[in-house]
Structures are given as structure tokens and as C-alpha cells.
Amino acid sequence: MSLIKNRQKENRLARVFSGISPYLESAPLAAFFLGISSGFPFALIGATLTTRLAQDGISKGAVTAFALTFLAYNFKFLWAPFVDNFKLPFIGLYGQRRSWLWAISFLLILAVIFLGVVDPNQALSMVAVAAIIVGILGATLDIIIDAYRIELLEPNQLGIGSGMSQYGWRIGAASTGALVLILAGNYGWSIAYISSVIFAIPAILVGLFLGEPKRHIEPVKSKGLFKIISDYFGPLFEFIRREGAWLVLFFVLIHKMGDTLANLTLRLLFNDLGFSNEEIALYDVGFGFIAFLIGIFLGGILYARMGLKSSVLISLILMAVSNFSFAALALAGHSNVGMGAAVCFENLASGIGGVTVVAYLSALCNLRFTATQYALLSALASIAGRFLTGTTAGGLIESMGYFNFYLLTTLLAFPGVFLFWYMIRSGLADLSLANQSDEKF
């Protein structure tokens, strides 16, 4: 009898280990650490900078205009072919991906220090310049990290790797935000920003220990003008030749519009409702971080159980509905319970979508043009929301109030849901995927 119980226990342990072991493989772990470094510059020019400017008394219009610094992330596909094809001198001997990873990480560290030492009350324009530089370098780092991750992961690791990347991104962004908020209250914003550069180290170490991705395909050598044209436009031409490509690009453009518009204004809402730095750090960063991790875990399960298309559709619906929670918070006022509930729901939905939607975008990429195509797709995914935030969000909030504003962001999210449902029904969701030498997604 005891022998049977021991075997049952061993079988249970074996099942648990088999479920965990894929996450402990070198490529998914690398995606996790790369995600940490990817998240930290985004946090510094996003919610953290919004809090800093709002607390310094900068107007809503000026604060939301800083969302335009994120446009570097949206236009990164313009210089992604350069990252894909240009070999850096000297350091390039260590490989295309690794050399760019190390060079941009070093420049980003310098830019973050510059952003930290500039005083918004004395030179707001210089803060804008510093934020733009951090945005450009952070977007370039994302180009490299996304390509490194996709080329490092095997096709059967894309779901797990996307989840691990999102775990890392959220940990990097949340840890950066929490660290800066806490240090700023005790030592000032300059020390807080300078201290945050430690989050650039994980990506540097990944390149050091894992080396150049083996699945990286070197660009085809060509000469003269043809080389320039093919290198630059080749990735785009390859994508748009696929059936339904234009509809897919339109979906990518609009599916996160409402979600991005809402998220880039949340710190204004929290500030106007009277939440302190400590409350923001606890409920928005802390509770939101835990909810996001749970969402990533659920997203992995959803992806495994329901497949790519169904899991993406469900996550799109959840992300759309989650925006309404902030409309409810605007009505409730200064409520820690309300803030915690709204933040947790939004982060849970974002965590699920972070796995499923990132896996879908990754599956769209041809390995021949990994950096450029993923840069294009991820850039399109939030450009509309960021542009609207930077140009109109401050005025909309002042004219229609927070409740109606977040209700509007909820409505703006649903066209993407309906479009993806149509893509599934018409078969375009499958036809648009990259044909990568019979690799299955």
C-alpha cells in the first residue's frame, strides 16, 4: 500500500516538475531578464515622469504632451532595418545582436542620468529633450531585445517565452517605478533616477552569458543601391505580400488605442484624487504588479488550453472592459479599495493580453526580418493611443471630466475586438502568420 502511495506521490511531483521545467530553460529565462531591462526606461518616461511633473505643478496639458516622447517606440521600425543590418565596428565582433545590446544599454544609462539631474521647474524643455533621448534609446533597446528573444526561443517556446518576457517587463517597470517613488521622497528625484540604472544590467548579462542567438539569420549580401533598398524595404514588402496583411496591420493599429489612452493618464487621475506617493506605490505599483503576474500566469494557461486565436480574442475583451474600472474610480473618489480593485482588474487583463497578443505578434514575424517586423508591429500597437494622449488627452479630461474620458477609452477599445473576431471567422488570422520553414505556432 505504501509503495502505491509513494509512486502516486512521485507521479504528482513529476507532473509538477514537467509543468515548471519549460520555464527554467535557458531561453525563457533569458526572455525574463531581457524583459526587466526593457521595462525600466519605459517606466521612467511614463508613469514615473508623469508623477514627477504633476507634483511639481506642471499643467495637465504639458504633462500629457510628454506622452509624445513615447512616439520613439512607435516609429522605431524606421531605424530597425539599420539595427538589423549594420554591423558595429570593433564590438561587432561579438555578434550583431550582442554588440547592439551592449552599446545601446551603455548609452541608455547615460541618458537616464541626464534625465535625472535636469530640474523641470528650471528647464522643462531640457527635461523634454532628455525624455526624448531616453525614449529613442529605450525603443532601440526594445528592437534589439525583441529580436534577440524571438531568435533565441524555439517556436514551441513562444507562449512561455512571451509570458516570461512580460513577467520580466513588468518586474522591471514596477521595480523601477517603486524604487524611484520611494527614493524620491527621501533623497530627491535625481538620486532616484540615477539609482534606477541598475535595471539595465540584466540585459547586459544575458548577452554576456548566452551569446549570440543561434537562430539569427544573417542578412543576404547585396551591392549598391539595390542593397540599400532591399535592406530597408524588404521586411515591409515581405509582410504586405501576405494575404490580408493590410487588415492585420489595421487591427494592430487600433486594438490597443483605448487601453493606451487610458493608461498614460492614470497618474493624473491618482494625483487629482489626492493619492500620496506611498499609496500609489502600494496600490498601483505593488498590487498592480501582483495582479499582472497572475494575469500572465492565466494568459499562459489560456494560450495552452484554447490556442492562439481564441485566447487573443478573450484577452482583447477583458482589456476593453477593464478601462471602465477607472471611470468607476473617478466617481468613487479617493478610495484605496476602489483604486486597488481598478488597478488589479486592469493589470490582470493586461497580463493575459501580454502573453497572448505578444505571442500573436511574434508569430507574425519572419526570422529573416525579426527586428524590423516586430518593431513595426509593436510600434503600430500603441501609436494611435499615444498620439491622442499627447495631443488631446489633457484637454479632453478638462472638458469632459475623468468619468466620461475613461468611458470613451472603453468604447474605443471595442472596434479592435470586433475586427479580430472577423479575422478569425474569415481565416485571415491564420493566413497572415509567417511561413518560417514549416515551424509551427
Side-chain angles (χ1 to χ4, degrees):
M1 189 70 176
S2 60
L3 181 60
I4 295 175
K5 288 183 178 180
N6 287 335
R7 286 181 177 175
Q8 290 176 340
K9 185 177 181 180
E10 290 174 358
N11 289 335
R12 285 195 296 269
L13 289 174
R15 285 195 296 271
V16 171
F17 181 76
S18 65
I20 296 174
S21 59
Y23 292 89
L24 302 179
E25 295 172 357
S26 60
L29 284 175
F32 171 78
F33 287 110
L34 290 169
I36 291 176
S37 295
S38 176
F40 107 90
F42 193 92
L44 291 179
I45 62 172
T48 305
L49 186 57
T50 298
T51 301
R52 180 184 184 183
L53 296 175
Q55 291 181 354
D56 283 346
I58 307 299
S59 69
K60 284 185 178 64
V63 172
T64 55
F66 269 79
L68 294 176
T69 61
F70 282 110
L71 289 178
Y73 283 87
N74 298 106
F75 290 108
K76 61 187 179 182
F77 65 90
L78 294 176
W79 61 92
F82 186 74
V83 176
D84 244 346
N85 295 285
F86 180 76
K87 187 175 181 178
L88 294 174
F90 306 114
I91 196 174
L93 295 173
Y94 293 98
Q96 182 78 359
R97 300 303 182 210
R98 287 204 301 173
S99 59
W100 276 95
L101 181 66
W102 292 335
I104 295 300
S105 295
F106 175 72
L107 292 175
L108 181 60
I109 289 172
L110 296 179
V112 168
I113 293 173
F114 176 41
L115 178 59
V117 299
V118 181
D119 186 352
N121 289 309
Q122 299 297 323
L124 187 61
S125 60
M126 289 304 296
V127 175
V129 171
I132 290 171
I133 294 173
V134 171
I136 292 172
L137 291 172
T140 306
L141 185 65
D142 270 9
I143 294 171
I144 304 156
I145 283 176
D146 289 330
Y148 195 112
R149 170 179 58 83
I150 294 171
E151 292 168 2
L152 196 64
L153 295 166
E154 296 295 334
N156 64 323
Q157 294 177 315
L158 272 182
I160 292 172
S162 297
M164 291 292 278
S165 176
Q166 290 299 305
Y167 272 123
W169 193 96
R170 187 62 183 192
I171 288 174
S175 300
T176 300
L179 177 69
V180 171
L181 284 174
I182 293 170
L183 291 180
N186 295 288
Y187 305 103
W189 287 103
S190 294
I191 296 297
Y193 267 70
I194 293 170
S195 299
S196 71
V197 301
I198 62 172
F199 294 104
I201 295 175
I204 296 173
L205 294 179
V206 167
L208 180 64
F209 289 108
L210 266 71
E212 188 74 359
K214 293 180 180 179
R215 296 173 74 233
H216 175 57
I217 300 175
E218 293 294 335
V220 177
K221 301 298 181 182
S222 53
K223 297 180 180 180
L225 182 62
F226 178 75
K227 173 177 171 51
I228 298 173
I229 296 174
S230 63
D231 285 350
Y232 194 87
F233 293 103
L236 179 60
F237 289 158
E238 191 281 333
F239 190 93
I240 62 178
R241 281 197 298 265
R242 302 180 201 171
E243 187 172 351
W246 288 107
L247 190 62
V248 173
L249 289 175
F250 183 63
F251 160 74
V252 174
L253 176 67
I254 69 169
H255 82 282
K256 282 188 66 177
M257 183 166 58
D259 195 56
T260 303
L261 187 60
N263 277 292
L264 291 177
T265 58
L266 290 180
R267 290 295 174 88
L268 284 176
L269 171 65
F270 298 156
N271 187 68
D272 283 355
L273 292 180
F275 290 103
S276 66
N277 275 2
E278 290 74 16
E279 288 172 321
I280 294 172
L282 176 61
Y283 292 101
D284 184 27
V285 180
F287 284 12
F289 170 69
I290 295 171
F292 192 82
L293 295 185
I294 295 172
I296 292 173
F297 177 74
L298 294 176
I301 294 175
L302 200 65
Y303 179 91
R305 297 286 178 85
M306 303 190 67
L308 182 61
K309 294 173 292 185
S310 297
S311 61
V312 169
L313 183 61
I314 291 173
S315 65
L316 290 173
I317 295 171
L318 290 174
M319 287 191 291
V321 175
S322 70
N323 286 349
F324 184 74
S325 62
F326 294 107
L329 177 62
L331 285 180
H334 188 138
S335 167
N336 288 339
V337 173
M339 182 186 186
V343 166
C344 286
F345 182 26
E346 193 278 331
N347 279 275
L348 186 74
S350 294
I352 295 171
V355 174
T356 59
V357 177
V358 168
Y360 176 64
L361 297 183
S362 299
L364 290 172
C365 297
N366 188 312
L367 284 176
R368 168 70 178 82
F369 312 107
T370 317
T372 304
Q373 288 187 348
Y374 195 88
L376 172 65
L377 295 171
S378 59
L380 286 176
S382 55
I383 187 171
R386 286 173 185 164
F387 181 77
L388 288 174
T389 301
T391 56
T392 64
L396 286 173
I397 291 171
E398 290 177 346
S399 63
M400 64 194 306
Y402 282 111
F403 175 80
N404 289 327
F405 174 77
Y406 288 113
L407 184 61
L408 174 64
T409 65
T410 304
L411 296 176
L412 287 174
F414 276 98
V417 177
F418 295 131
L419 181 55
F420 193 74
W421 173 82
Y422 170 77
M423 288 166 57
I424 293 175
R425 292 293 301 270
S426 64
L428 290 177
D430 288 317
L431 292 172
S432 59
L433 298 182
N435 177 17
Q436 302 191 36
S437 302
D438 297 324
E439 295 177 1
K440 304 300 181 182
F441 291 94

